[in-house]
Every structure is written in C-alpha cells, then in structure tokens.
Amino acid sequence: MLLSKKSVEAGKVCLAEGLPFAIVLVPSSSEPSFFAAISTRSYVSGRIVAGSHFVISRFGKVSPSELIEIGMELSPDEILETYSQRRERSLPLLDDSVSTAFEEHCGRVEQIVASRDDINSKVVLSRRISLSSGRDPFEVAEDYFSLFPDCFRSIYFTVETGLWIVASPEMLLCHDGADNSYKTVSLAGTRAVSDGCWDEKNICEQRLVTDYISNCFRDAGLEPVVGPSENVRFGQIEHRCNAIRSVGSVPPFEVALRLSPTPALCGYPVAEAFEMIESLEDFDRECYGGFIGIVAGPKTELYVNLRSCRCGRSPSNSDRWNYRLFAGGGVNIMSVPRLEWEETERKSSRLRDVIMNGIHK
C-alpha cells in the first residue's frame, strides 16, 4: 500500500473531527508525508515556520493572506491516541451537484471561438462532473495514486476547502533556497499518446504558456532559461512541456503568486480570460486550478491542482460518497466544440473509472 494503514486511520479521524490534514506523495516517491494540525493558519510573508507545512491556494489571483497552511504539528499516533475513543463524529457532506451537459459545454466553446480574432488568445473552459459512489475516498486515493507515480499526489482536508484528491503532473514552482534555484514547467496542449507531430492549435496554446511564464520570471527580476520541448504522458494522454529554470533571490511565493493561474489553467491574456470564465462557467472551481505543495526547510515544491476532485458524504444517503470532478481545455479560434468535450473526457477518464470501479490488481 502507498498510504500506510496508520496514516489512513489518522486521516479518517481528522476528517471526522474537522481537523486539517494532508497525506502527500511527491513525484516518484512511495513514502508519504503526513501533515495535521489543530487548525489551519494563513501565510505570512517572511515568517519563519519551524518544520514542514502543506500549502493550499484556490483558483484565481489570490493574495498571500488567502493561502492556507497545514503544519506538521500532530503525528498519526498522537491523533489516534487523542481522538480515537470519541464517538460523536460527523463526516463532511458534499451536496449533489449537476454535471455540465454536452450541449452546455459545446455552446460555451462556440461563444469563446466567436469572441476570438487572434490565435494568440485563449480561454481555458472547464466542466463539472458529479459522481456518486460507494467507494471510500481513501480507497480511491490509494488506487489513483498508484496509477501515476510521477505525479504530485495528495488527499487533503480543511474546513475551508473540504476534502480533495489530487494527482497533478504540472509543477507550478520548485525552489531550493540552498542555491537559490527556481524551476517550473510550461505544460499545455493535449492529445492522445502519439508518435506524430503536434498540430498548430496545441503548439500555439503551449507557446503562450511558455511566454507568459518567462515574462512572469522577468517581472520578478529572474532571467528564465527555457529547455527543449518534451512530451509528458498522463495515462493515455500527453502534453507538450518545456522546463524553465532560473537563479535569484526572490521569495518563492512572490514568484508563485505571479504565475498562478497560468494560461494553462486560465487562458491568455489572463485577466480577460478570467473574466470570461466567470461569466460562462456556472459553478465555482474551488481549489481546481489553484495550487498545493510542501514547504520543508529551504525547499518549496508547488503543483497545480488538476486531475483532481472534491469528495464528501452524500447528504441523502450515508452509504454513498459524492465526488465533484473538474476538467478543462484551452479554447482558441481553431477549437472544435465536440473535440474540446472529448479532451475533457480523456482528462477525467482515469479518475472517474477509479471512483466508480477501482483498479484490478
């Protein structure tokens, strides 16, 4: 098992007690880190925090004070010893929500396409997918995490955000204070795994992200160094990607908050795309499209919250869990509505299948 029995038991107790927690697996690791505390705290720039902590940001341009932190204050043993004998517990609920219909999504794509007059602009349109399952979120997380060992994976809960499961292939920013190095990736464009050449739509979409990140680095006083293009696989789909690096002495969260949300999750120009998202999408993205990560000593590792879902007990059936998934894609003047829908189907298919059916081992 990737998630130890003790960490899962402690996580379930935290969930029932309303205590913030996060179980985290960094890419290529099979050793999870456990974060838990009596309460969350807000990020304060320049504050020195002892030990490690887990950081959460919602979607959109947020201020530093809106970041949520979970310290590594309570161990699984301490949680189980302190709270395991309590009997009055209530699991967080998640209301039933309506999934975005095919016609709705395609209609919104058409509106975006009609509003574009330049291939160098796009809007990342997402849809909501609501599922009900008898599978426990910790079972779902165990199966889902095992499928994507190269992703940043976490199951986390706070009263402010609810319970989330994430397996993200997209780094927002990694910073090492030991040598003042920064690394991020320009990851965008989506297709089924292929040996062929990328089409113009996806090449342009990903180039916008590369240019935006490079400009954010320069605005922060960092000179970006862009690596060669590569393909990054996620299940049966793949994305175009460039690593971007720099060296400097800018606080990492100052850079991260400039970057988020990138055009890969919002669009370009970012402010205009964000306005169109708010006008077209009839739901709150919540944490989807924001970022999560770990700060441990001089190292900061932040990843975009995508390939994710929110979870909660069904209010109408205590034996069922509701899952709220989000999936999106970049829409520009060359987009075809049906193909945009199919892209969101591919992006969400593995998580949907794990929620409903598990994996066969």
Side-chain angles (χ1 to χ4, degrees), residues 225-245:
V225 177
V226 180
S229 294
E230 300 176 340
N231 293 346
V232 173
R233 183 167 176 170
F234 185 90
Q236 298 306 307
I237 62 174
E238 63 184 356
H239 309 285
R240 280 174 59 87
C241 178
N242 294 83
I244 302 175
R245 300 175 184 272

Side-chain angles (χ1 to χ4, degrees), residues 100 108 126-128 277 280-285 326:
T100 306
R108 291 166 185 165
S126 70
R127 55 181 275 230
R128 182 173 63 188
I277 288 168
L280 288 177
E281 294 181 0
D282 59 351
F283 54 84
D284 184 354
R285 289 190 181 186
F326 302 86

Side-chain angles (χ1 to χ4, degrees), residues 131-136 140 319-323 355-357:
L131 302 173
S132 175
S133 172
R135 301 203 73 216
D136 179 284
V140 171
D319 294 327
R320 307 286 290 181
W321 288 85
N322 285 341
Y323 292 87
I355 288 169
M356 301 308 297
N357 306 307

